[in-house]
Structure formats: structure tokens, C-alpha cells
Amino acid sequence: YGVPEFSGYPTRIISNGLSTITAKSYTAQETYSGNYYNSITSSDNGSALGTKLHNLMMSTHTTYVSYSSLDNTLKQTDKKCFYSGQNMSSFNKEHVWPQAKSKDGGSQLFGTSYAGSDIHHIRATINTYNSYRGSSMFATIFGTPRTVNYASGGVAKFGSGNNYGVTEPADSRKGDVARIIMYVYMHYGTDFNGTLRSGVTGKLYITGVIGANSTADCFKLLRKWNAEDPVSSEEIERNNIAFQKQGNRNPFIDHPTYADRIWN
């Protein structure tokens, strides 16, 4: 009789478990050579490294920009739609970690301030593809979802429904997604403890935004995407602009191997 296919859904919805996810380690050359991470030592790993990076984000993120200011900033940083790669004459401000998936004890952690207006987090998208994504999780899609050819190669795939639907970014965007999600989780989440601030930090659930069967598998998938789609020149440029405006950097763009050192 077989298992019914729900187009665009992650396999866990059907079979209560994704196919085995094998994490990959980042092997591309890292190019950052500044002194921002001088407090990090080669012996820092696991949660200790995560806590140090979280505290570094909290202490150096001295300017929380306004949501309205992103209209001009994104014109400078985002030349093309995040999901389709198409040129844009107008755009939506996309929360890569959806606002609706930032629940902290039943209340929403961020909206359009703090994490909700962080240049490292918010990307520009064409309204149509922002709507396609909705608040759906990121995962590998099966079946025959709605597809959009990414302008510079690859295909973005959109499932249906925000509760169980899935978005699978184009291959050339998977690393970008992974590095943004890991950044938000580390900077604004509380799992690493360290410096906490009411209204800014709170409990974030990685299983709400990554379609895997466990927290461990979520980070395996993020490490896989991080390794398979190395840091691009666009990401480096955005990181530098955000650093100038906010005071903090995205560690997973400067040192993608931090993901392996924290979650391996």
C-alpha cells in the first residue's frame, strides 16, 4: 500500500524520523585575520566556546539598529532576493529565523527589534518568495514542492503550510541560512547561559526552525550545509557592514569551523 506522499514535507512528518543525517566539517579556507576573536583560544570547544562567543556578541553589539533603518541598509547589502537570486526593485525584510518561531515560554522573543532588526539576521526577499517561505522550517524536501530556479544556479523548494511545511534553500544559499540560524541561536538564545538580558535573550528552539528529528540532528544538518556551501564574498561584505553599524560580527562567517568545534 505504501506511505502516502505529502508533497514538500520533511520525512519526519510521515515516518517519524528523517533519513540519517551525516554532519560534515568545514574544510574551505577561512580568510578573517582581524583581532575581534583574540579572547578565543585554540583549546576552546563545545559549550565553553559557545558561551565565549555569546558573551562576545553581547558585549560588542553596542548598537541595535532600528527596523526602519534596514530599508536603506539592505539596499546596500542585499543586491538580490535571498531565496530566488533575482534582482529586486522592492523587497520585504525577511526574518530568516521566523518571528513566530521565537517563542519564549509562550511569548514571542523578537519582532522588529533586537534579533528582529539585526543586520546579520534580516535578509531582503521579493514579497512572493517571502510568502512562499512563511514561517516554515528549513529542511531537505521530498515529493514535488513548488520550485523556484535560483538566478545564479540551483533551485529553491517551498513546501506548503507553516506548521509542517518546509523550505529548502538553493544549494548556493544553504550555507548562508545555516550561518544565520547558528548566529541567532548563539547570540540571542540562552542555552549557552553567559550574559543574558531581559527582552533581548530568551529560550530559542532550534527544532522549530530546522526540520530534523532531534536537536543533535538539527546541528548535523546545519554543519552539513555550512560545509557544503562555503562562505561567499557577499557574506563577508555583509558581515563587515553589519560590524560597522552594530559593533559585532557573525563568527560563523569569519570562522565557519567554530560550528564544528561547538556542535561536533
Side-chain angles (χ1 to χ4, degrees):
Y1 289 56
V3 177
E5 180 177 284
F6 294 84
S7 177
Y9 281 45
T11 50
R12 73 169 183 162
I13 301 302
I14 307 304
S15 61
N16 195 33
L18 284 168
S19 300
T20 301
I21 299 172
T22 301
K24 292 186 178 181
S25 294
Y26 195 91
T27 58
Q29 182 179 1
E30 295 181 339
T31 59
Y32 180 75
S33 58
N35 59 12
Y36 184 78
Y37 304 96
N38 281 0
S39 62
I40 307 300
T41 69
S42 59
S43 62
D44 291 323
N45 291 291
S47 59
L49 174 56
T51 300
K52 275 194 170 185
L53 291 172
H54 166 81
N55 288 341
L56 182 61
M57 297 300 96
M58 294 298 293
S59 64
T60 59
H61 193 162
T62 54
T63 301
Y64 288 89
V65 302
S66 68
Y67 189 69
S68 61
S69 73
L70 294 176
D71 291 338
N72 288 327
T73 300
L74 293 180
K75 290 177 182 178
Q76 181 183 3
T77 59
D78 292 35
K79 304 299 189 293
K80 297 181 178 180
C81 171
F82 187 59
Y83 293 125
S84 70
Q86 298 170 6
N87 293 323
M88 303 174 296
S89 57
S90 62
F91 58 83
N92 282 176
K93 289 171 282 193
E94 163 72 331
H95 291 74
V96 180
W97 188 304
Q99 298 175 67
K101 297 297 179 66
S102 69
K103 300 292 186 183
D104 178 21
S107 61
Q108 189 169 290
L109 177 62
F110 61 79
T112 56
S113 58
Y114 300 115
S117 63
D118 188 323
I119 300 167
H120 291 296
H121 173 207
I122 307 300
R123 298 303 304 260
T125 64
I126 293 172
N127 174 59
T128 300
Y129 307 124
N130 190 8
S131 297
Y132 284 178
R133 193 276 167 107
S135 297
S136 62
M137 65 182 72
F138 291 112
T140 303
I141 289 180
F142 74 94
T144 53
R146 174 189 281 132
T147 59
V148 176
N149 289 332
Y150 192 81
S152 59
V155 177
K157 303 175 183 178
F158 299 91
S160 57
N162 290 338
N163 291 329
Y164 299 113
V166 178
T167 296
E168 181 177 347
D171 290 344
S172 60
R173 275 292 193 243
K174 286 178 177 173
D176 304 56
V177 165
R179 289 180 280 274
I180 291 170
I181 293 297
M182 291 186 292
Y183 166 83
V184 173
Y185 182 82
M186 181 193 67
H187 184 354
Y188 296 100
T190 55
D191 282 14
F192 292 114
N193 295 311
T195 304
L196 305 179
R197 180 180 169 190
S198 178
V200 178
T201 57
K203 179 67 176 177
L204 291 173
Y205 296 90
I206 196 71
T207 51
V209 292
I210 300 298
N213 209 33
S214 66
T215 297
D217 278 347
C218 286
F219 287 108
K220 287 180 182 179
L221 182 59
L222 288 168
R223 287 180 55 212
K224 181 175 185 290
W225 285 1
N226 181 49
E228 290 177 344
D229 174 29
V231 173
S232 65
S233 58
E234 177 194 14
E235 289 178 273
I236 293 171
E237 181 180 0
R238 288 189 96 262
N239 200 17
N240 290 334
I241 292 172
F243 175 50
Q244 293 167 6
K245 292 180 177 292
Q246 298 184 169
N248 70 316
R249 303 184 66 84
N250 181 337
F252 301 108
I253 292 174
D254 293 327
H255 295 292
T257 55
Y258 283 168
D260 304 322
R261 289 169 56 181
I262 294 172
W263 289 294
N264 186 0

